Amino acid sequence: MNWEQLLSTRRAREGAGRHAGSADLRSEFEKDYHRIIGSASFRRLQDKTQVFPLDQSDFIRTRLTHSLEVSSFAKSLGQNIGENILTYKRDPSFTVQMKEDICSILQCAGLIHDIGNPPFGHFGEIAIREWFERNLPRLTYRGRPVDEVLTEQMKQDFYHFEGNAQALRLVTKLHFLVDENGMNLTYALLSTIVKYPVSSLEIDEACGDIARKKMGYYLADAETFRRIAEATGTDGRRHPLTFILEAADDIAYKTADIEDAFVKGFISYHALIEELKKLKSIQNNDKVVFNPLGKLEELYRQGVEKQVDHPEEYAVKNWIVRVQGFLISCATFGFTSNYRAIMEGAYPYDLFHGTFAEELMELLGDMAMRRVFCTRKIYLMELVEAGILDYLMDSFARAVLSYDDDDSALDSIDRRLVYFISGNYKDAYHFQAKGKSDEERLYLRLLLVTDFICGMTDSYAKRLCQELKAML
């Protein structure tokens, strides 16, 4: 892969471009940024769960604040890595302008990396996935079970429902404003957000390649993915910037989960101390690179000396910032030390693999899982969320089975349910369904339901469920 092609400014719908005398001096990637910021889907992230659903606290992160943090970390990593490539002449074709473009692309990618996630965070993905596993064999279409009507890839798309694949679909098709091309973002940016460049039939969790762990695009969007891969020259491989985006996401959520959990009372200063005792000081040639436990204790002592009201809080929050700086350095090393393999599409790991940060990242993730996600309070909230999503999926999936196929089969309730689905999504469905077979149109109608539900905020999903239950 080469940077000139990887940083493709092409779009599905080509505009007039910059011309002599134009007052618009933005690069193509800066235009992407403004399209994202002005979109309704980006605004909806302010009412979508990061960890704690429907939380009323002003401090706790939402998908919006998380995405802003990922955007910031991604840009910082782009600056570090771009400067390293230039300074050490790792690639003679790499230019200062390419470094600037990389930073702009990563800044945009951070904003939209979670834009396709359904309400209620990653548990929402699991709930939708399991709904299809239970219900595709039960739903019937023209007297046949739906799972017998759909092709294998269509079924696997639903059984492996994935927010990352939904993000690509949303930004390329569902913003049906000017035309069918969605936000019409650059192919370089679109390629960067495809974390898993494989279809639902090509998932292979056992192979050890991080790029094949999940599905990256739906069958309905396979042609879009093909055009992106062709324009950027990735040819089924991960875009190099995807590794950087993923590292920024990992830094953001693994540190933020600990900070949010501390504020919510799931993890105390003393509990964090006990967890960090499991780690040794991170050393290189007998020189301490970073001592997580020692740094936290040092910051606590500083808080006491400064006579702050809450030295434990002072220590934890400042420790998070120090850890983030350390992780950025390690991710930079992870990319630059594996530069050749990444550019060849042969690197199978994340950027923390084999670095000084690997053990710390594993501890942070494990701590959040044990002390936050696997607790009674979170489990209770997730049961409520599952009930909301199950009810919405039950209602709308059954309502669309005959929509645009045999409308006479829709009863009065189904007609009213279909009415609630966004006009943009229905317009996108009709455009994609033209000339398709009955089976393909059924598949697209089921996607219409997931499109609609994934576009909901947490509050809207809860409110609509309550209103429909009252109505029905």
Side-chain angles (χ1 to χ4, degrees), residues 96-108:
V96 173
Q97 183 58 55
M98 287 177 175
K99 173 191 167 184
E100 293 179 7
D101 288 343
I102 281 173
C103 291
S104 295
I105 293 168
L106 287 168
Q107 187 177 28
C108 292

Side-chain angles (χ1 to χ4, degrees), residues 144-312:
R144 294 174 60 197
V146 167
D147 69 337
E148 294 181 9
V149 176
L150 301 178
T151 68
E152 187 61 26
Q153 186 170 352
M154 291 173 183
K155 288 186 292 185
Q156 293 304 320
D157 280 2
F158 295 123
Y159 294 153
H160 293 91
F161 171 80
E162 173 62 40
N164 290 286
Q166 188 66 28
L168 178 67
R169 178 168 175 77
L170 189 151
V171 299
T172 58
K173 291 184 176 177
L174 301 184
H175 277 263
F176 204 95
L177 300 176
V178 176
D179 59 18
E180 70 279 4
N181 294 304
M183 291 187 191
N184 197 36
L185 302 172
T186 57
Y187 284 145
L189 173 55
L190 294 175
S191 189
T192 299
I193 67 168
V194 180
K195 288 178 67 174
Y196 312 103
V198 295
S199 73
S200 59
L201 295 180
E202 299 168 310
I203 298 170
D204 187 355
E205 296 183 49
C207 75
D209 187 345
I210 196 170
R212 300 178 67 88
K213 283 173 54 179
K214 299 179 182 179
M215 167 181 70
Y217 60 91
Y218 300 116
L219 173 62
D221 306 316
E223 178 58 25
T224 299
F225 173 77
R226 186 196 64 77
R227 290 198 304 268
I228 293 167
E230 181 180 317
T232 56
T234 51
D235 190 29
R237 298 165 292 185
R238 252 192 177 192
H239 194 293
L241 297 187
T242 307
F243 289 94
I244 303 175
L245 173 64
E246 184 173 53
D249 188 22
D250 288 346
I251 293 171
Y253 84 79
K254 287 199 174 181
T255 56
D257 286 357
I258 301 303
E259 186 176 15
D260 285 356
F262 173 80
V263 171
K264 295 288 290 184
F266 285 84
I267 295 174
S268 68
Y269 167 80
H270 296 289
L272 183 55
I273 288 285
E274 290 303 312
E275 293 283 354
L276 293 178
K277 286 179 180 178
K278 301 173 185 177
L279 289 177
K280 296 179 181 178
S281 295
I282 299 168
Q283 297 184 333
N284 183 24
N285 296 328
D286 297 325
K287 180 181 178 182
V288 175
V289 177
F290 187 67
N291 181 356
L293 174 59
K295 178 57 65 176
L296 180 61
E297 292 174 328
E298 176 191 332
L299 289 166
Y300 177 80
R301 289 193 296 271
Q302 284 182 13
V304 173
E305 291 169 4
K306 290 175 181 286
Q307 296 184 333
V308 299
D309 288 342
H310 303 287
E312 294 177 353

Side-chain angles (χ1 to χ4, degrees), residues 1-7 91 93 98 232-233 237 343:
M1 292 181 282
N2 67 84
W3 286 112
E4 184 174 359
Q5 193 171 7
L6 287 167
L7 303 180
D91 191 330
S93 67
M98 287 177 175
T232 56
R237 298 165 292 185
M343 294 300 290

